[in-house]
Amino acid sequence: MGVVPNQPPCVDGSTCECEKHRWPVGLIGLNAACIHVAPKSLVVPQNQYALSDGVTDLVNLTYALTSFLNRDDHSENPEAQKLRPDAIEHALAASPITSDWINDQAKGVHNDTVWLYYGTTTGMTFIFPPNYWGLLYDPTRRPWYGRAVSSGTQVRAAISSPYLDSGGAGLMNTLTSVVWGPYGRKKKERKINGVVGFDFLYPVMNNMLPEITNCSSKAVRDIGQQSGTREISCWLFEISGLFLTHSDFLATQEDKEKFGKGGGTNVAGTGEWPIENVFVGKKEPDLADALINAKVLVELTSRTPDSQKTIHYYRVDENLFSEENTVLSGKINVAQSKCLQAPGDGFDVTWFVAHVKESNAYLLVVDGYRRKDSECTSKTQSKPTEFKDCDADVSNTNFIFW
């Protein structure tokens, strides 16, 4: 499982186990899964808060719940933290998935996966490999769960922007999908049973496009820089215009020091290199300008629930894409470009955008991409948040709820 700090390294003949994964901190086992029980999974949710008094309660409760969910002889639903009937039903129905995860792991299917998990609408969470995520952990309140549910019935794979794992596994993306139940009586709406997801290492995401397309695998500052050459650069972004892939996300400290504040900073001159929730215009302003001018990205506004702030943001106009019109394209005028110059062959720079079917992702392709020699410090972003008086007229304003 790796080398423990301040302990001797593994040697021949030892009992150390070579583990190829970059498992995060806090594992409580391998080749097994665990179940988290949220307060909402209990008949009396408030009883979950009483468990913080001592370790003994947790140990006894864990044993009792494990016996009960495994349907051991003479086991009972714990009286103090009794599970709701529908939570029990969800847990028993979903339990076979853990065997599939373990078997797939043994076959090498998930060598680049950090976590596999399934959260039910009743608050039960299956986690592989097992880890302790806290007494009050509720999957239905997590961003990955909300992203999948809010993506609609046509999206089977909702992908997050990259982020640093709090457990130390490194940079990763999350992919989630809604697990649907049967249709209702009117056969119009299907019941949501839960959301299944897995976290995988970001380099897998970053390398995917070059491996299956003619897109360059180089860092953006190296693409098309050889004399007389013309190269194709590709990215994935999601419906809010946030990058899912970009070579800057893998920049080394040496790269950051070399290119300085031009690396897509949150605040000009701070020297920060943001990774999570990075708008296209922070890294590639010319591409953002092209998408905005073509109305692929449209600016919207929403009010916060207290009506004190007006938030400006961009969103892809999904209505532009159809079975008859799957790819949108346009030209970039490099003479007026902020960060790009003409490709080595001297011809036009052309962009293409297509929706990745059954996902929240969009593929952005630029034929003839080539950065200027000087580092780009320009940004294209939405307007800053506006603070309004409570007496302002909000009758024609959309609201956004957090």
Side-chain angles (χ1 to χ4, degrees):
M1 270 59 76
V3 178
V4 177
N6 303 319
Q7 296 297 319
C10 295
V11 296
D12 292 340
S14 73
T15 58
C16 292
E17 179 181 344
C18 181
E19 175 56 57
K20 65 180 66 176
H21 293 81
R22 293 171 61 187
W23 293 127
V25 175
L27 286 189
I28 57 177
L30 288 174
N31 301 318
C34 69
I35 300 177
H36 269 271
V37 179
K40 68 184 300 181
S41 305
L42 304 180
V43 174
V44 182
Q46 293 82 353
N47 287 349
Q48 191 84 331
Y49 296 89
L51 297 175
S52 59
D53 295 337
V55 177
T56 303
D57 286 342
L58 289 176
V59 172
N60 291 337
L61 177 61
T62 298
Y63 179 81
L65 281 175
T66 301
S67 297
F68 177 68
L69 291 176
N70 284 337
R71 290 170 284 186
D72 293 345
D73 293 340
H74 309 298
S75 62
E76 296 181 352
N77 195 354
E79 188 62 34
Q81 278 79 32
K82 182 172 289 187
L83 293 173
R84 289 164 38 184
D86 53 351
I88 298 172
E89 179 183 353
H90 280 174
L92 296 179
S95 60
I97 195 175
T98 60
S99 297
D100 292 335
W101 289 344
I102 295 170
N103 291 335
D104 286 344
Q105 176 60 49
K107 298 175 184 177
V109 173
H110 294 294
N111 286 346
D112 296 304
T113 304
V114 180
W115 296 113
L116 287 159
Y117 43 87
Y118 171 57
T120 72
T121 57
T122 54
M124 307 290 279
T125 309
F126 293 78
I127 306 169
F128 174 77
N131 203 332
Y132 176 61
W133 289 356
L135 286 171
L136 305 182
Y137 185 86
D138 184 344
T140 63
R141 295 178 178 268
R142 305 303 300 167
W144 55 269
Y145 191 101
R147 184 184 304 111
V149 172
S150 63
S151 294
T153 58
Q154 302 303 312
V155 172
R156 296 183 62 187
I159 309 169
S160 76
S161 62
Y163 60 94
L164 286 171
D165 175 51
S166 59
L171 195 61
M172 63 176 63
N173 294 85
T174 294
L175 187 150
T176 54
S177 182
V178 173
V179 176
W180 297 96
Y183 282 97
R185 293 182 179 180
K186 296 182 179 180
K187 304 296 182 181
K188 291 183 179 181
E189 295 184 358
R190 296 180 68 181
K191 178 182 177 183
I192 295 177
N193 283 346
V195 172
V196 65
F198 68 92
D199 300 340
F200 56 97
L201 300 176
Y202 173 73
V204 176
M205 189 79 172
N206 189 74
N207 297 335
M208 180 175 62
L209 291 178
E211 289 176 353
I212 62 176
T213 68
N214 291 326
C215 299
S216 175
S217 60
K218 300 177 183 176
V220 290
R221 294 166 186 79
D222 299 326
I223 297 174
Q225 296 299 331
Q226 294 183 353
S227 177
T229 62
R230 181 184 186 87
E231 293 188 274
I232 300 173
S233 187
C234 304
W235 301 267
L236 289 173
F237 67 94
E238 53 93 73
I239 196 167
S240 297
L242 306 180
F243 270 127
L244 299 177
T245 62
H246 195 284
S247 64
D248 274 2
F249 297 153
L250 292 176
T252 64
Q253 188 59 39
E254 182 180 356
D255 293 331
K256 297 175 184 179
E257 293 173 356
K258 178 180 179 181
F259 300 118
K261 70 178 184 180
T265 57
N266 280 318
V267 181
T270 62
E272 298 175 1
W273 281 58
I275 294 175
E276 188 172 0
N277 299 328
V278 176
F279 181 63
V280 171
K282 282 189 176 182
K283 297 286 187 183
E284 305 292 341
D286 295 307
L287 307 187
D289 291 344
L291 297 179
I292 292 170
N293 292 334
K295 300 189 184 306
V296 175
L297 287 173
V298 294
E299 189 172 25
L300 303 174
T301 60
S302 293
R303 281 287 186 91
T304 52
D306 60 5
S307 298
Q308 293 297 302
K309 300 177 184 177
T310 298
I311 299 173
H312 300 267
Y313 61 97
Y314 285 100
R315 185 179 175 88
V316 173
D317 184 354
E318 301 171 86
N319 296 322
L320 294 179
F321 299 89
S322 64
E323 293 185 3
E324 296 75 25
N325 194 28
T326 58
V327 180
L328 305 178
S329 64
K331 305 287 186 183
I332 294 178
N333 184 354
V334 293
Q336 300 178 356
S337 173
K338 298 174 180 176
C339 302
L340 301 181
Q341 61 178 318
D345 60 6
F347 290 101
D348 292 336
V349 177
T350 307
W351 59 267
F352 305 86
V353 173
H355 177 229
V356 181
K357 290 185 177 181
E358 298 185 326
S359 80
N360 65 331
Y362 291 81
L363 173 64
L364 174 60
V365 178
V366 178
D367 184 8
Y369 181 91
R370 183 188 181 194
R371 283 279 187 97
K372 291 180 178 179
D373 295 332
S374 58
E375 181 62 22
C376 180
T377 57
S378 298
K379 305 287 176 284
T380 295
Q381 304 179 68
S382 58
K383 298 176 184 177
T385 299
E386 299 176 16
F387 294 85
K388 298 290 186 179
D389 295 331
C390 291
D391 295 333
D393 179 16
V394 297
S395 58
N396 295 319
T397 305
N398 294 324
F399 286 84
I400 185 170
F401 295 92
W402 303 102

